Amino acid sequence: MRFTKMHGIGNDYIYIDCMESEPESPDTLAREISDRHTGVGGDGIVMICPSDKADFRMRIFNADGSEARMCGNASRCIAKYVIDQGLTDRTDLTLETLSGIRRLMARKGSDGKVESVTVDMGRPEVGVVDTEVALPDGSRHRLTAVSMGNPHGVIFTDDLSDAMVLGHGPELERHPMWPDRANIEFARTDAPDRITMRVWERGSGETMACGTGACATLVAAATNGLAGRKAEISLPGGRLTIEWLPESEGGHVMMTGPATEVFTGTYIRN
Ligand SMILES: N[C@H](CCC[C@H](N)C(=O)O)C(=O)O
């Protein structure tokens, strides 16, 4: 099976061109091919499919095989793939996802290939704000819930250590407050327009970056009065610019960042 390995600031997926056909059991495939020793290695798989509602359709499966409803970093990489591969001659595209249709606006570099994409991530849904959550390990955390089509719990803390992120991420991901688990962000606001964060992703563990997570974090920070409505978000894999437009302009969240192709290959599925 042919694949393309791409990443959005280190959030790496195995991309499969499904314009003609789709692999069987994509959940099983995601678990197998994402393994960084016995597979290709990645945070999951992304299927690029035809759509009758938009230019293309995305299906994304986390490394544990769970299907997600939206993925910010993958949206940018899909824009790069379909434009660079000549599947479209436009740079302003629509993408059907389980969370609805998203608009992708791509920009090319001097080599004529896509290097940066702005995604209209839609309207956030803010849930509980600054609520305290107790974990079985006895720790207590204050978090704000934000949906970007997929669920996020954002914790503001100066402690971005492994003990915090790796120690509490798994329990928070599976806390009973989430009907279907959640992505957990740990964020430090350095200035009204600068946030540093790490993310423990539902179904993939810590990733180098999370596009929907960066959006959820900006929305949570602005909601809690910890930042403005536009900020540069620094994640372990790189930076994203996130802007939460005012209600008078629709209240959508706009995410801008790079998309990178690493290699192509053939996966031998046992
Ligand atoms: N783990 C997420 C999907 C991937 C989101 C993330 N990689 C992004 O860039 O938005 C979930 O289960 O909702």
Side-chain angles (χ1 to χ4, degrees):
M1 180 191 77
R2 295 290 299 163
F3 69 85
T4 300
K5 186 73 189 300
M6 306 182 81
H7 72 85
I9 54 172
N11 186 203
D12 60 325
Y13 292 96
I14 296 115
Y15 289 75
I16 302 161
D17 185 326
C18 297
M19 298 306 286
E20 303 299 329
S21 65
E22 296 193 7
E24 288 183 16
S25 308
D27 54 347
T28 305
L29 174 65
R31 283 192 290 273
E32 292 168 355
I33 200 172
S34 299
D35 189 294
R36 295 189 187 276
H37 300 288
T38 59
V40 172
D43 291 328
I45 67 170
V46 175
M47 298 162 60
I48 303 168
C49 312
S51 168
D52 55 13
K53 298 181 185 144
D55 294 314
F56 299 93
R57 180 163 73 93
M58 164 171 71
R59 291 188 75 186
I60 168 186
F61 292 79
N62 294 307
D64 70 353
S66 58
E67 183 166 12
R69 297 176 55 77
M70 181 51 197
C71 182
N73 285 317
S75 302
R76 300 198 311 277
C77 289
I78 285 179
K80 176 172 178 64
Y81 180 88
V82 298
I83 294 167
D84 289 0
Q85 299 298 319
L87 274 66
T88 177
D89 57 4
R90 288 183 285 114
T91 55
D92 193 329
L93 303 166
T94 54
L95 181 67
E96 179 188 349
T97 77
L98 288 178
S99 297
I101 291 175
R102 300 290 185 266
R103 183 181 172 196
L104 316 177
M105 293 150 276
R107 278 170 297 284
K108 295 182 178 180
S110 52
D111 62 356
K113 299 230 184 249
V114 171
E115 67 176 9
S116 170
V117 184
T118 294
V119 182
D120 178 339
M121 298 289 283
R123 289 179 64 86
E125 287 174 38
V126 180
V128 290
V129 175
D130 193 29
T131 189
E132 184 169 84
V133 168
L135 293 184
D137 63 14
S139 66
R140 310 178 82 81
H141 305 270
R142 304 197 69 84
L143 72 78
T144 294
V146 177
S147 172
M148 292 303 302
N150 60 351
H152 296 267
V154 184
I155 293 169
F156 292 102
T157 173
D158 289 343
D159 178 3
L160 300 182
S161 64
D162 284 356
M164 172 64 85
V165 176
L166 308 181
H168 299 305
E171 290 281 355
L172 287 161
E173 171 194 354
R174 300 172 182 283
H175 191 276
M177 71 183 285
W178 314 115
D180 192 19
R181 299 186 289 162
N183 305 284
I184 307 297
E185 285 79 25
F186 301 87
R188 183 187 68 227
T189 49
D190 303 317
D193 61 353
R194 274 186 299 112
I195 298 172
T196 301
M197 63 178 278
R198 290 174 69 177
V199 57
W200 177 270
E201 278 202 31
R202 172 177 62 174
S204 294
E206 181 174 19
T207 58
M208 298 290 282
C210 179
T212 51
C215 295
T217 297
L218 185 276
V219 168
T223 301
N224 283 285
L226 298 172
R229 295 180 72 102
K230 181 174 184 178
E232 181 176 86
I233 313 281
S234 294
L235 299 111
R239 290 193 297 272
L240 293 172
T241 300
I242 310 293
E243 180 171 13
W244 184 13
L245 297 179
E247 278 306 311
S248 56
E249 295 174 29
H252 286 205
V253 179
M254 309 300 283
M255 171 191 66
T256 300
T260 308
E261 179 182 351
V262 187
F263 61 91
T264 60
T266 302
Y267 178 64
I268 299 168
R269 193 169 183 184
N270 299 313

